[in-house]
Amino acid sequence: MNTIFGTIDRPLTHDPKKQAPMKPSTPSEPAGSAIPDFTTTGATESRQNRTREMQLIPEALARAHMHERLQEAERERQVTHLLVARRMQRRAERASMRARRALAVAVMQ
């Protein structure tokens, strides 16, 4: 007789009477328990990495927030510097016009 074992997804037969009975390998082991040598180290490491990443999310958000605030402060400094420069330029232009007028009045007299 040819003994080909089926899998859980593709059983050899769908007839329950012809399938192998579900028996525990040892009498002390409950039926349907997980295989003892099945290791979950990959899943545990993945979970730990995900947990570590999730714990670092607030720190990353705070760092991004601070970076945005620093950029905003730098833009405000540049704007303030530009406004001061324009104000000084206008003041210099007015002083130049007053000097020209004074020179013109002095030459005309």
Side-chain angles (χ1 to χ4, degrees), residues 42-56:
T44 304
E45 286 177 17
S46 171
R47 246 182 263 116
Q48 285 176 346
N49 285 339
R50 190 167 50 233
T51 302
R52 193 173 306 121
E53 287 172 12
M54 290 179 77
Q55 286 174 348
L56 294 177

Side-chain angles (χ1 to χ4, degrees), residues 6 22 30 32 41 59 68-70 72 80 87 89 92 94 98 101-102:
M22 294 277 292
T41 55
E59 188 177 328
E68 278 182 41
R69 292 295 160 260
L70 286 172
E72 186 178 331
T80 304
R87 193 177 307 131
Q89 181 182 5
R94 284 194 302 266
R98 280 195 303 271
R101 282 192 199 114

Side-chain angles (χ1 to χ4, degrees), residues 13-68:
T13 177
H14 290 286
D15 185 9
K17 292 179 182 175
K18 293 182 181 176
Q19 290 178 0
M22 294 277 292
K23 292 183 186 174
S25 57
T26 60
S28 64
E29 182 183 356
S33 66
I35 302 170
D37 64 347
F38 179 71
T39 59
T40 57
T41 55
T44 304
E45 286 177 17
S46 171
R47 246 182 263 116
Q48 285 176 346
N49 285 339
R50 190 167 50 233
T51 302
R52 193 173 306 121
E53 287 172 12
M54 290 179 77
Q55 286 174 348
L56 294 177
I57 285 173
E59 188 177 328
L61 285 172
R63 200 175 296 119
H65 187 71
M66 284 300 297
H67 183 68
E68 278 182 41

